Amino acid sequence: MSEPTMSDPIDGLRFQVLWSRLVSVADEIATTLVKTAFSLVVRDNHDYACGLYDAHGRMLAQSTQCTPGQAGSTPTVMRDMLRVYPPETLEDGDVLICNDPWIGAGHSPDVFIATPIFHRGGLVGFACTCAHHVDMGGRLGATDARDVYEEGVIIPVSKLIRAGTPNDELMRLITRNVRTPEKVVGDLRAQISANHVGARGIRRMMDEFALDALDDLSEAVSARSEQALRTAIAGLPAGSVSHEVLHEITDDAGERIRLCLRLDLSSEGARLDFAGTSPQVSRPVNAVLNITRAYCVVPFIATLCPELPMNAGAFRPIEVHVPEGTVLNPVFPAPGMYRSLLSYFTVELIMGALHKLAPE
């Protein structure tokens, strides 16, 4: 974290304490999720992400243990959730759900659960978890899936709980479409419980520090993180470089998939242009834009600011352009169950480009 300045809306020491408290609450969410989950994927593999957001859906903090793709996708998920259910329409006791690959993390097993946090009668923020579920229906492990419909049931942004009343119709639809309903329902309930713990932690923090809202804190956290990453990027040599990676997976024409990047670094940040990347394929390895964007932030945080807590501000210095219809930004309903086979290589691609500009 950078040093405080006198222009901060929250004074330095108080700000540092509050920021650390946010991360602590996010870690409580993660601990609850792991302790209450039914599946080994969440409990042992830790394939999840947990975060806190302000009333406008801007990320405040994520838990220390998070998978980058899920954590980096959640800000966009919150934006789309609030597009369907604007903040003023939400009620205390609501719980939102979505696993749409084009909104979320690129494949249907990643289910997002968001819980509005109300305090003293007003909406102050959200607790959101994403967990990889053991099954979401479809053709189990279909490596030859031709579209996303083969890969599982798609849940659009919906209310799983309405003002404290469970949406039994939606839950019956989900359980009827999965092979292990007890594990799926168990993990959904674990996510709901974890969010409840996060909401309780935020309300306790707001009472303890006499906060009426989280907006000022959110703006301070985002501004500090954005400035820290911009400063770190400005410390690299400015310039432009191109890099490409040939994947062992082949495209529909039998040629190796090509991932291309032009990286521009300046004192303002980084611009990533993936023009030249192979067109989307009929195999389930396409990575939707949301998951691609998430993995574009990882190399910069990991190499330049590894101690920086992730939040909305960390995304701002990174500008991403990916041509539509490519394997890193496919057009619906392209299959993408195994999108990690390509999205992980986005990191290698960026690291290769960074090495050309700053080999040390």
Side-chain angles (χ1 to χ4, degrees), residues 142-165:
T143 58
D144 59 343
R146 293 292 174 166
D147 61 45
V148 72
Y149 296 112
E150 297 184 61
E151 298 177 334
V153 62
I154 298 175
I155 308 166
V157 175
S158 308
K159 286 189 179 183
L160 189 60
I161 300 177
R162 297 190 184 98
T165 301

Side-chain angles (χ1 to χ4, degrees), residues 237-316:
S240 301
V241 67
S242 295
H243 190 60
E244 67 176 42
V245 171
L246 284 176
H247 203 290
E248 62 183 10
I249 297 176
T250 56
D251 61 20
D252 292 347
E255 301 293 329
R256 293 175 68 182
I257 288 177
R258 185 182 304 271
L259 304 181
C260 299
L261 171 67
R262 178 180 175 83
L263 173 64
D264 298 313
L265 294 183
S266 70
S267 59
E268 295 300 313
R271 186 180 189 276
L272 287 67
D273 190 337
F274 292 85
T277 293
S278 294
Q280 67 186 68
V281 296
S282 57
R283 301 168 67 184
V285 296
N286 301 286
V288 301
L289 179 59
N290 209 20
I291 196 75
T292 297
R293 187 187 296 113
Y295 278 101
C296 285
V297 179
V298 173
F300 293 94
I301 295 291
T303 57
L304 303 178
C305 301
E307 301 302 320
L308 183 70
M310 183 70 77
N311 54 66
F315 291 84
R316 294 172 187 164

Side-chain angles (χ1 to χ4, degrees), residues 3-211:
E3 290 301 315
T5 64
M6 294 303 292
S7 60
D8 284 335
I10 303 175
D11 70 81
L13 180 58
R14 179 179 171 86
F15 172 75
Q16 298 286 4
V17 171
L18 286 170
W19 195 353
S20 297
R21 184 68 167 268
L22 287 172
V23 175
S24 177
V25 173
D27 283 339
E28 288 181 358
I29 297 175
T31 299
T32 304
L33 179 60
V34 171
K35 294 294 185 181
T36 58
F38 276 48
S39 70
L40 297 177
V41 176
V42 177
R43 218 168 53 230
D44 293 347
N45 292 6
H46 289 193
D47 196 346
Y48 64 78
C50 304
L52 292 166
Y53 299 78
D54 66 15
H56 306 285
R58 296 174 298 192
M59 180 186 280
L60 280 163
Q62 69 175 39
S63 59
T64 305
Q65 170 68 48
C66 278
T67 59
Q70 293 171 330
S73 299
T74 313
T76 311
V77 175
M78 287 301 309
R79 182 194 66 195
D80 285 304
M81 284 183 165
L82 295 182
R83 183 179 295 122
V84 178
Y85 296 105
E88 63 272 14
T89 68
L90 295 171
E91 300 177 85
D92 196 1
D94 283 348
V95 174
L96 308 181
I97 184 173
C98 178
N99 80 329
D100 187 329
W102 260 257
I103 294 176
H107 65 182
S108 58
D110 285 342
V111 180
F112 292 81
I113 300 284
T115 301
I117 303 173
F118 283 81
H119 186 52
R120 297 173 186 166
L123 178 68
V124 296
F126 296 86
C128 183
T129 56
C130 176
H132 183 111
H133 285 251
V134 291
D135 177 37
M136 270 291 134
R139 296 175 58 205
L140 191 62
T143 58
D144 59 343
R146 293 292 174 166
D147 61 45
V148 72
Y149 296 112
E150 297 184 61
E151 298 177 334
V153 62
I154 298 175
I155 308 166
V157 175
S158 308
K159 286 189 179 183
L160 189 60
I161 300 177
R162 297 190 184 98
T165 301
N167 185 346
D168 293 331
E169 292 85 357
L170 179 56
M171 189 63 81
R172 287 202 302 272
L173 185 149
I174 293 172
T175 56
R176 184 61 173 168
N177 280 278
V178 298
R179 299 169 179 83
T180 55
E182 70 285 347
K183 281 188 169 56
V184 171
V185 172
D187 282 356
L188 289 175
R189 289 175 174 167
Q191 288 181 256
I192 295 169
S193 299
N195 285 355
H196 175 74
V197 169
R200 185 179 61 190
I202 288 296
R203 286 192 290 267
R204 184 184 297 125
M205 182 190 79
M206 293 181 71
D207 283 337
E208 184 176 335
F209 291 91
L211 298 176

